[in-house]
Amino acid sequence: MKIVVIGGSGLIGSKLVSRLEAAGHEAVAASPNSGVNTLTGEGLAEALAGAEVVVDVANSPSFENAAVLAFFETSSRNILAAEAGAGVRHHVALSVVGTERLADSGYMRAKVAQETLIRASGVPYTILHSTQFFEFLGGIAHSAAAGEAIHLSTALFQPIAADDVADALATIVVAPPANGTIEVAGPTAFRMDALVRRYLEATGDARGVVGEADALYFGAKIDDISLMPAAGAHIGATDYDTWFAGR
């Protein structure tokens, strides 16, 4: 099949493209660097010509509330319209476990808006909800830093290796559209403050992590349910220790 990966040069996209090519598919990595701009629509029709599946793993360059909403709404509208014109048979999108539970987060509101557009588009679809990536532990710490202290929630989360997310997407791409949502998560639940503290210590970062039940996560208060997958979620094979040893 011809499969277009929007955001195909990023962390997940590049891994997915490699997997699809290894399986014998024509995988097109679409990004501004390749002449495809989902915000203006430039290059979309040409990239999608003859494609059977489109996978959207692009992320907003800004997490500011208005900017991130504009990115996901504009990009999704342009992609979905181009898919309708090209006769694409399956739209696959990567989103986040807990989007619907975190309305105080501008980023999560933007992802909900993206998902709403996908469901209403008429293009057969599958949305993959993933938990946080191990690769983003440093970014989570950075988002909560105040001087030499990092204030993080003590809530549970169940992070996953990016390789396992790419594996899940590679399976979804060749399956019939679910016209619904599938969840994927890592094998182990952690307290967010405890795992980030462990990660920073192992990487030689001397900043202290302060666990606070009321600490915000990208603008939203979270609890032990907010970021956790439901029963029946697909579980990635890579645990934290294995991931860290191979990073």
Side-chain angles (χ1 to χ4, degrees):
M1 292 190 291
K2 178 180 178 180
I3 302 165
V4 177
V5 181
I6 307 292
S9 60
L11 173 65
I12 301 297
S14 59
K15 292 177 182 293
L16 177 59
V17 167
S18 295
R19 284 160 171 74
L20 295 175
E21 288 178 340
H25 299 291
E26 179 189 352
V28 177
S31 69
N33 289 337
S34 67
V36 179
N37 189 323
T38 60
L39 292 178
T40 64
E42 178 187 358
L44 264 177
E46 294 81 2
L48 268 57
E52 297 183 49
V53 181
V54 173
V55 187
D56 185 4
V57 295
N59 206 359
S60 173
S62 170
F63 282 17
E64 189 274 326
N65 288 352
V68 71
L69 180 62
F71 176 86
F72 282 117
E73 286 190 328
T74 303
S75 177
S76 295
R77 287 193 180 102
N78 287 336
I79 294 167
L80 292 164
E83 288 175 358
V88 170
R89 298 189 300 181
H90 191 184
H91 177 94
V92 178
L94 179 61
S95 192
V96 187
V97 166
T99 51
E100 71 285 355
R101 296 189 288 267
L102 297 175
D104 288 340
S105 165
Y107 184 86
M108 294 299 192
R109 291 196 300 272
K111 294 300 286 184
V112 168
Q114 177 190 30
E115 294 179 27
T116 300
L117 288 168
I118 292 168
R119 293 188 179 97
S121 70
V123 178
Y125 71 92
T126 304
I127 297 170
L128 179 64
H129 273 189
S130 172
T131 55
Q132 291 68 29
F133 307 157
F134 290 136
E135 287 82 356
F136 287 172
L137 290 175
I140 291 172
H142 177 73
S143 74
E148 291 301 306
I150 296 169
H151 298 265
L152 282 174
S153 173
T154 56
L156 288 172
F157 75 147
Q158 198 164 321
I160 186 171
D163 277 325
D164 290 342
V165 177
D167 287 340
L169 285 168
T171 299
I172 288 169
V173 161
V174 297
N179 291 316
T181 301
I182 296 170
E183 288 191 335
V184 65
T188 308
F190 299 90
R191 296 289 171 187
M192 182 176 288
D193 63 315
L195 184 60
V196 173
R197 183 181 298 112
R198 179 176 167 187
Y199 172 79
L200 293 180
E201 289 174 352
T203 55
D205 191 322
R207 290 176 297 174
V209 175
V210 180
E212 298 175 353
D214 292 334
L216 299 182
Y217 176 75
F218 292 102
K221 184 178 178 180
I222 57 176
D223 58 26
D224 284 350
I225 297 173
S226 302
L227 300 177
M228 292 293 288
H234 295 267
I235 301 300
T238 309
D239 62 24
Y240 172 77
D241 289 331
T242 302
W243 170 80
F244 190 85
R247 57 186 283 278

